[in-house]
C-alpha cells in the first residue's frame, strides 16, 4: 500500500510501533493526520483499506480509489 501511494505522489507514513491497534488509531487521530488507513487481515484479503478521516468518518475503499480521492483534493486545493 505504501509503495502504491508513493508511486502516485501521495505521502504516506507507516506506524511500525508495537502499540495496540486502538492506541495507534488514537495517537494518529490526536496527531491531526488528514487520513488514517487501517489495514487488517480483512482488508488484506479483500485488497481494500479502511480510511478514517480526521472528521471521524470511516469508509472502506480500494487503494486506487483512495489515491484518486487524495489527488483530486490536492488538485482542487491547488486550483483555489
Amino acid at each position: 500500500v505504501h509503495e502504491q501511494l508513493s508511486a502516485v505522489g501521495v505521502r504516506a507514513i507507516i506506524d511500525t510501533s508495537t502499540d495496540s491497534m486502538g492506541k495507534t488509531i488514537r495517537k494518529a487521530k490526536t496527531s491531526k493526520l488528514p487520513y488514517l488507513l487501517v489495514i487488517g487481515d480483512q482488508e488484506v484479503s479483500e485488497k481494500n483499506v479502511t480510511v478514517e478521516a480526521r472528521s471521524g468518518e470511516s469508509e472502506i475503499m480500494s487503494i486506487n480509489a483512495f489515491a484518486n480521492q487524495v489527488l483530486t483534493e490536492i488538485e482542487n486545493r491547488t486550483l483555489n
Side-chain angles (χ1 to χ4, degrees):
V1 173
H2 184 266
E3 289 175 8
Q4 288 176 290
L5 293 174
S6 295
V8 296
V10 176
R11 183 176 50 175
I13 302 167
I14 300 173
D15 185 333
T16 58
S17 68
T18 57
D19 294 334
S20 69
M21 182 72 74
K23 186 173 183 179
T24 301
I25 291 170
R26 279 190 304 279
K27 185 171 63 172
K29 286 183 178 181
T30 59
S31 300
K32 297 188 179 183
L33 297 172
Y35 295 102
L36 168 68
L37 300 184
V38 178
I39 306 169
D41 293 337
Q42 181 178 352
E43 287 84 3
V44 170
S45 68
E46 296 174 2
K47 298 189 184 214
N48 288 326
V49 293
T50 298
V51 180
E52 295 198 18
R54 189 183 316 170
S55 65
E57 296 176 30
S58 181
E59 182 179 355
I60 297 172
M61 61 177 60
S62 72
I63 298 162
N64 289 337
F66 173 72
N68 288 334
Q69 176 182 321
V70 171
L71 292 172
T72 300
E73 288 177 15
I74 291 169
E75 185 177 302
N76 289 340
R77 272 191 234 136
T78 305
L79 295 175
N80 292 331

